[in-house]
Amino acid sequence: MATGTEPETNAAPAVTDGDRARGGVHHPSRAAIPARHLRRDRWWLAPAGTAAGLFAFIVYSTWRAFADTDYYAAPYVSPFYSPCLAENCVPMRGGPNWEIFGAWWGLSPALLILIFPLGFRLTCYYYRKAYYRGFWASPPACAVAEPHRTYSGETRLPLILQNVHRYFFYFAVLVAGILTYDTVLGFRDEHYAWGHMGLGTLILLVNVTLIWAYTLSCHSCRHIVGGRLKHFSKHPVRYRMWGWVSKLNARHALLAWASLISVAVADFYVYLLATGAFDDPRFF
């Protein structure tokens, strides 16, 4: 009886001798399926769009990280440069100026701090899926075979380093706390008087909210809150917290992209203010 799922004879390219020679899922020892895949949709759009989005952020963030300029417009500081850990930082009144590295550091101070949020995102479970598929085609999409000969998982270098994600989580919480402090300082005017709010304050507020939501929706956070509990009934507070984190975790991918965009927008807004492109609109 026809089910409507039979593959069309010309729907997908056939497996060639070269595919079998490369091994992987097309090795002679595996199931002999003549078609490379049976998908009819434009499955390549998702990994291509993901790769394009991540590549655009990489280009932008690299430019801004090495720029070493236009990252502070009182009272706002770019999230790429907070906290500032070297003496070559622009003085920020009441801001996160922590001259831990002294005068010997001559490069951009952003390079001292971005390693922590970058490491957190690079080892994030969602981002692994995103760039594995987008850049490495491992695999390129569901039900589409990857073109690699072998796959050892995350058991050998360099991918075994992905297991440090749980430790980057603690640094990510610290960075989110510092960005929260920066947002509070944004309730000042350009003369550092309290009780004011501008468009920059709102942008920083949205950004830090998304940063917290993404950080707390992390799988490591969910495991820390309730992953090791054997009896939820004995830990009602942690069980409730685990439920909240689980709801956020269900939207982890969305929050990953939203926070990635918001941090770039916040940095670019501060850049525009610092270069004098326009004045920060004030609400009160």
Side-chain angles (χ1 to χ4, degrees), residues 96-215:
N97 285 94
W98 303 341
E99 300 175 357
I100 298 176
F101 284 81
W104 65 270
W105 182 264
L107 301 177
S108 170
L111 301 179
L112 294 172
I113 190 62
L114 285 182
I115 184 63
F116 299 109
L118 175 62
F120 180 62
R121 290 183 183 266
L122 191 65
T123 59
C124 164
Y125 290 105
Y126 167 71
Y127 279 114
R128 292 187 214 178
K129 169 190 171 183
Y131 65 77
Y132 282 6
R133 291 188 172 188
F135 293 111
W136 297 345
S138 181
C142 291
V144 178
E146 60 181 274
H148 309 290
R149 183 189 298 267
T150 59
Y151 176 66
S152 59
E154 297 172 342
T155 60
R156 294 185 294 184
L157 286 174
L159 296 185
I160 195 173
L161 297 178
Q162 302 283 29
N163 294 317
V164 302
H165 177 64
R166 70 192 71 178
Y167 304 109
F168 273 115
F169 168 75
Y170 298 109
F171 288 105
V173 170
L174 177 61
V175 171
I178 295 171
L179 295 181
T180 303
Y181 174 72
D182 295 340
T183 302
V184 173
L185 295 181
F187 285 91
R188 304 178 298 176
D189 61 14
E190 63 274 14
H191 304 295
Y192 305 102
W194 287 96
H196 301 273
M197 180 178 181
L199 178 58
T201 313
L202 181 60
I203 291 175
L204 293 182
L205 185 61
V206 171
N207 176 58
V208 77
T209 300
L210 291 174
I211 290 292
W212 273 115
Y214 166 66
T215 303

Side-chain angles (χ1 to χ4, degrees), residues 15 31 41 43 63 65 78 114 127 153 195 212 223 257-258 260:
V15 177
D41 61 328
W43 58 265
W63 164 58
S78 164
L114 285 182
Y127 279 114
W212 273 115
H223 177 73
W257 280 104
L260 193 73

Side-chain angles (χ1 to χ4, degrees), residues 7-14 35 37 39-40:
E8 301 175 9
T9 57
N10 60 348
H37 60 80
R39 295 191 61 164
R40 307 287 189 275

